[in-house]
Amino acid sequence: MDYKKLGFKAGIEIHQQLEGKKLFCDCPAIVHDPNKADIFLERKLRAAAGETGKVDKAAAYEMKKDKIFQYEACSSSSCLVEYDDEPPHELNKDCLELALEVSKLLNAKVVDEIHFMRKTVVDGSNVSGFQRTGLIATDGYIETSRGKVGVDSICLEEEAAQKLEEKEHIVKFRLDRLGVALLEIATDPSIKDPEHAKEVSAILGMMLRSTGKVKRGIGTIRQDVNVSIKGHPRVELKGFQELRYMVKVIDEEVERQKKEKKGESHVRKVNSNGTSTFMRPMPGAARMYPETDVPVIRVTKKMLDAVVLPELIDDKVLRFEKEFKLSAEDARIIVKSEIDFASYVKEFKKVDSKIIVDVIVKYPKEIKKRFNLEGLKENHFREVLGYLNSGKIGKSAVLEILVEILKGKKVNLSKYEGISDNDLEKEVKKIVSKNKGAPINALMGEVMKKFRGKVDGKKVMMLLKRMAK
Ligand SMILES: [Zn+2]
């Protein structure tokens, strides 16, 4: 498809949940509280008039349905603030600091004063009927493989409640998630095509994770993509949870807009099977009005100067490749695991860094797959790496020893005790002369059968090759 010719325009809005406490109360930022609900409330939708005095078009659309909203909550993860029975507490300082950090990372201009606003929410996912949102920074950019992409705005927002079910005119929600802090990042519409949209999302996600202060895993980051082609109004594709389907869903939307010619601007829900379906009309401008319960926050130079930028994950991967002589793949695995790799390399100087990666990342996965055992901890890795470092065992013994540790057995090192290079050479010679004319792989098998766990396979192969000459 020639996206340029089609007049393709796309911008991305990212919503990232933050760790710690909620944005305006002391409740923990728990998205799924394991406790049973012990609080129950009910509300009817009231469509509040915006500052323009008009009732929002989207609100009116939902109102026609005359809905009752039922809420359940756990007192362990929600309080009077979530129930809209108490005004918001002071803005969570950690969230503000993170928002400033991300704003700097995205080269954005932080506002002098943060004013929180109320954004009308019509689907019942906020008990109060509105969501609090504060603009933190504007006019940023990121570098991509296709040039700069502008970042229009960075906001701090409240997460909505989780919908449990909808039956006729009753909609049920759970409040654990309500009020969890969200960082909203919106790019300008300069994204060039669906692949580029995916790249921009990946870069923003990587930057957010680099801070180490955001939630991880499915559902903790969501992308909305606004798409239009020449002659068609903007359509919002809402709720990408993973990037896998992004190109396909955007491409299908472009095809849909091509067929439809002049359609209505609206919001489409992105489904988990990689399709999208009509959700509601596009909300209008009447959605925002000032939140007078939250005082204006002045951003001082001191606050901005105190921001320390994190090392980006992508930069760290490159650094690890060089510093520890790792492959790009291994470096990424190690960085992702958040293990203090440098401390391992320092402690186990005689062990190849590649082998350290195997021990702490690859073997646990293999053991899970082959033996359905898990639960290896740092001290286990350090124990085994210690044996390797002191030459007590060979690499081939590591997996078996880790399995024994997991089975709660006492590790019997004498079973794996190494054999001196001299003795090994003698033993290999014996085996070669006993099996005259046997192929090298068969000889290798014989040696390894006898010394499994005690010798390094590479070393044996080298000896055999030398003797075969
Ligand atoms: Zn609370």
Side-chain angles (χ1 to χ4, degrees), residues 222-259:
R222 304 187 296 271
Q223 282 94 1
D224 305 337
V225 184
N226 280 288
V227 183
S228 68
I229 56 171
K230 209 186 292 165
H232 196 287
R234 176 170 69 97
V235 167
E236 180 178 330
L237 298 167
K238 197 172 185 60
F240 286 91
Q241 294 206 352
E242 39 187 338
L243 302 185
R244 198 153 48 111
Y245 291 126
M246 191 171 267
V247 172
K248 175 178 175 270
V249 175
I250 297 175
D251 263 336
E252 280 172 9
E253 175 57 21
V254 169
E255 287 296 344
R256 203 192 59 77
Q257 291 188 10
K258 269 161 75 181
K259 275 193 214 119

Side-chain angles (χ1 to χ4, degrees), residues 186-212:
T187 75
D188 69 12
S190 64
I191 288 167
K192 293 184 167 70
D193 57 43
E195 283 290 350
H196 194 211
K198 191 177 164 189
E199 187 198 346
V200 169
S201 296
I203 292 172
L204 289 171
M206 180 276 294
M207 287 178 146
L208 287 165
R209 286 194 305 278
S210 297
T211 65

Side-chain angles (χ1 to χ4, degrees), residues 412-423:
N412 177 10
L413 281 185
S414 63
K415 208 168 122 190
Y416 309 103
E417 240 164 46
I419 160 170
S420 76
D421 286 359
N422 253 342
D423 288 348

Side-chain angles (χ1 to χ4, degrees), residues 9 31 133 185 209 222 268 309 367-368 430 455 467:
K9 270 189 187 172
V31 172
T133 173
I185 301 170
R209 286 194 305 278
R222 304 187 296 271
R268 301 179 71 78
L309 291 186
I367 289 169
K368 166 89 175 84
K430 260 193 230 163
V455 295
M467 284 173 200

Side-chain angles (χ1 to χ4, degrees), residues 25 27 78-79 81-82:
C25 63
C27 295
S78 58
C79 66
V81 174
E82 283 88 336

Side-chain angles (χ1 to χ4, degrees), residues 6 144 196 232 317 377 379 404:
L6 280 169
T144 76
H196 194 211
H232 196 287
V317 169
K377 304 223 163 58
N379 56 322
E404 290 198 347

